[in-house]
Amino acid sequence: MNSRVVVPDVERLPATAAQTPVNRISLGWLAIALPPLVLLVDTAVSLARGWRIESRLDRFAVGALVMWLAAATALLALAAARRSFARRWAQFVLVSVSLCGAWLVAELALGPILANFAEPFHCRRPGLEFVYRPRPGIMRDVGGEAHVRFNSWGVRGGEPPARGVAYRILCLGGSSTACTYLDDSKTWPKLLENNLQTARPAQAVWVGNAGLPGFRVEEHLQFVEASPLVDEIDCLVVQAGINDFMACLAGPRPSPPLWTQSRVWQLAGKLARRYAESDTFVEDTAGSVYTRRRLIRSAAEIDSREPAIEPCLRQFGDKVRQIIDACQRRGVRVLFTTQAVLWRSDLDAENAALLWFGQMSDGKFLAVDQLRRGMDRYNDVLRAACTERGVELVDLSQLDGDESVFYDDCHFTETGAARAARLIADWFRAHPAPAVREARSP
């Protein structure tokens, strides 16, 4: 007797909800679109909390995610793409899950690799070089081209002379110390070195620049307490206050998207900074970031009320005293400078258009006269702490409000850097340095 196996016609079987072409298309599309969708939602939440995209690398990533999601969505308009989604949805899901799994594995494995790319704290990668060419009209009196080099210590300046041969000074601060857009030969730490060397040719002097944009007194304290470089210098010059003031106005720092904290993304950033064309990803070589920052302030509401900064002032004073104590424990001479600013109540429209500091937690910007009043209060706290502990202080207040000194709120022009260097050098000449320290035994 012949038996026949009847093979059911799959096309005629009743389809379950999960097997309908529409749901298969949705599954196929979702497998492609879900990764960028999740990351963009993460980004949107951070933006809503006040996080801002400053890094060019982060901006590139967000743009790429938007294009990825847009391309995946646009494919739904193509019949061929819909058929591919329906037929190969399982493969798309498998690929998506595999990519997520590979990312997780990489997260676990990248710890030791990232350690190899670590930069010394409060410094940059030794040997790093940049060339800045600010676009005309963005900054005044900064020169057309600025060469920026970091020595074997990871600080701007020449190689330090042999221990015991020269009096070694290291400058700590934020961007007004870093002098990012000034050539190595035009920064105030370098001009300070030149002035001191000219005044006393018999005493060799070396000045290094460890200023980094955005760094506050908290980071300076961490450096003084833990960096091995402190044992290699004779004197520390600290310029602090304005970044602490701005952080106080802005409130707690908004958390960035989770994906920016990924080890994979951190490695991508470090590789880009190390091997891409010489550039930075926030303070770009053309200075275009200043145009964007100024536009934000000019479009915002200005608040003329005096901000409540008393708790921040107390914290600032405490940190300054801790820096003094740490320097004294480590046997290093410490000298502070007040923070000079362009702010004054009678700024004309041309100079007011150069400003971009002062954003508060509600998105408003503080009025210029209140900015100046607040900065004066920070400088007063610094003066009081130095007087209390008998520590040296160079008062740069005579530079305040001088249009020739600044190209924005607080960053020095070439003229400003030269004047600041002379004031600090005059202090050193009036208060001669003690003998240089000998190398410490390991």
Side-chain angles (χ1 to χ4, degrees):
M1 184 175 78
N2 294 331
S3 61
R4 187 173 59 176
V5 177
V6 179
V7 178
D9 188 345
V10 175
E11 295 298 328
R12 295 183 180 180
L13 287 177
T16 65
Q19 293 173 320
T20 60
V22 172
N23 281 351
R24 285 188 231 160
I25 292 172
S26 299
L27 285 170
W29 173 83
L30 195 59
I32 294 176
L34 189 60
L37 186 60
V38 169
L39 296 177
L40 287 173
V41 169
D42 179 29
T43 303
V45 170
S46 292
L47 288 170
R49 292 175 176 171
W51 177 72
R52 288 187 298 166
I53 304 176
E54 283 282 346
S55 163
R56 294 198 306 152
L57 195 61
D58 289 349
R59 202 157 53 245
F60 168 80
V62 172
L65 291 172
V66 170
M67 291 178 63
W68 180 355
L69 182 60
T73 303
L75 287 175
L76 291 174
L78 303 177
R82 291 197 301 272
R83 287 195 297 270
S84 180
F85 285 150
R87 292 173 183 172
R88 304 181 184 277
W89 66 269
Q91 289 94 321
F92 286 130
V93 170
L94 180 61
V95 169
S96 184
V97 171
S98 298
L99 288 175
C100 292
W103 184 290
L104 291 175
V105 171
E107 287 291 315
L108 297 174
L110 281 179
I113 297 176
L114 281 173
N116 294 329
F117 287 88
E119 294 182 345
F121 179 71
H122 218 311
C123 301
R124 301 298 296 273
R125 177 169 57 87
L128 189 64
E129 295 188 15
F130 295 133
V131 179
Y132 290 88
R133 298 182 179 89
R135 291 207 317 265
I138 294 180
M139 305 168 199
R140 58 190 175 199
D141 189 21
V142 296
E145 187 170 280
H147 293 265
V148 178
R149 303 175 184 85
F150 295 86
N151 64 18
S152 59
W153 282 8
V155 305
R156 287 184 78 176
E159 288 299 322
R163 198 75 178 95
V165 171
Y167 189 74
R168 293 174 168 184
I169 302 171
L170 187 63
C171 301
L172 285 186
S175 53
S176 59
T177 300
C179 298
T180 301
Y181 289 93
L182 299 185
D183 188 80
D184 282 340
S185 63
K186 302 294 182 65
T187 68
W188 68 258
K190 179 60 179 177
L191 295 176
L192 171 62
E193 177 183 286
N194 294 346
N195 288 340
L196 293 177
Q197 195 63 76
T198 300
R200 299 183 64 185
Q203 171 66 72
V205 177
W206 173 86
V207 181
N209 182 351
L212 283 182
F215 271 34
R216 299 177 291 171
V217 70
E218 182 177 351
E219 283 87 6
H220 307 333
L221 174 60
Q222 184 178 342
F223 177 88
V224 173
E225 289 181 332
S227 175
L229 295 184
V230 177
D231 291 329
E232 303 298 326
I233 61 174
D234 301 288
C235 178
L236 197 66
V237 176
V238 183
Q239 188 173 81
I242 194 164
N243 289 330
D244 299 88
F245 181 22
M246 294 304 101
C248 183
L249 292 179
R253 293 179 178 178
S255 299
L258 293 176
W259 58 264
T260 64
Q261 302 171 50
S262 154
R263 288 177 175 176
V264 172
W265 188 244
Q266 290 174 15
L267 180 60
K270 291 180 183 296
L271 288 171
R273 285 168 172 81
R274 178 165 291 194
Y275 298 115
E277 179 183 355
S278 293
D279 203 345
T280 59
F281 293 87
V282 176
E283 311 294 319
D284 61 292
T285 57
S288 57
V289 66
Y290 283 84
T291 301
R292 294 195 299 273
R293 290 167 173 170
R294 287 164 178 161
L295 285 173
I296 293 172
R297 180 179 173 94
S298 65
E301 182 180 346
I302 303 300
D303 193 334
S304 298
R305 295 173 298 177
E306 183 174 357
I309 60 174
E310 288 75 13
C312 299
L313 288 169
R314 288 194 294 271
Q315 293 172 11
F316 176 72
D318 290 343
K319 289 290 192 300
V320 168
R321 293 180 184 87
Q322 291 175 50
I323 289 175
I324 294 170
D325 294 342
C327 286
Q328 291 175 345
R329 286 195 303 270
R330 302 187 72 172
V332 176
R333 179 186 183 185
V334 61
L335 180 152
F336 288 85
T337 82
T338 58
Q339 179 72 60
V341 291
L342 175 60
W343 304 325
R344 65 172 196 266
S345 58
D346 61 343
L347 274 184
D348 58 27
E350 180 182 354
N351 282 283
L354 301 177
L355 307 182
W356 56 273
F357 278 46
Q359 187 169 30
M360 298 184 288
S361 58
D362 58 3
K364 298 177 184 178
F365 278 74
L366 193 62
V368 177
D369 58 339
Q370 292 292 354
L371 284 171
R372 175 59 181 273
R373 189 172 293 114
M375 193 70 255
D376 287 346
R377 293 182 68 187
Y378 269 86
N379 284 331
D380 287 343
V381 169
L382 178 63
R383 293 185 186 98
C386 291
T387 300
E388 174 189 317
R389 297 298 176 90
V391 168
E392 299 170 277
L393 173 81
V394 179
D395 197 334
L396 302 181
S397 60
Q398 64 179 270
L399 304 179
D400 286 334
D402 191 328
E403 300 167 11
S404 69
V405 172
F406 308 98
Y407 62 76
D408 65 358
D409 304 71
C410 66
H411 296 113
F412 293 122
T413 60
E414 290 184 359
T415 300
R419 289 183 59 187
R422 282 197 298 272
L423 290 172
I424 300 171
D426 288 345
W427 178 273
F428 273 105
R429 284 192 287 268
H431 303 79
V436 298
R437 299 197 299 170
E438 296 297 329
R440 291 191 176 186
S441 302

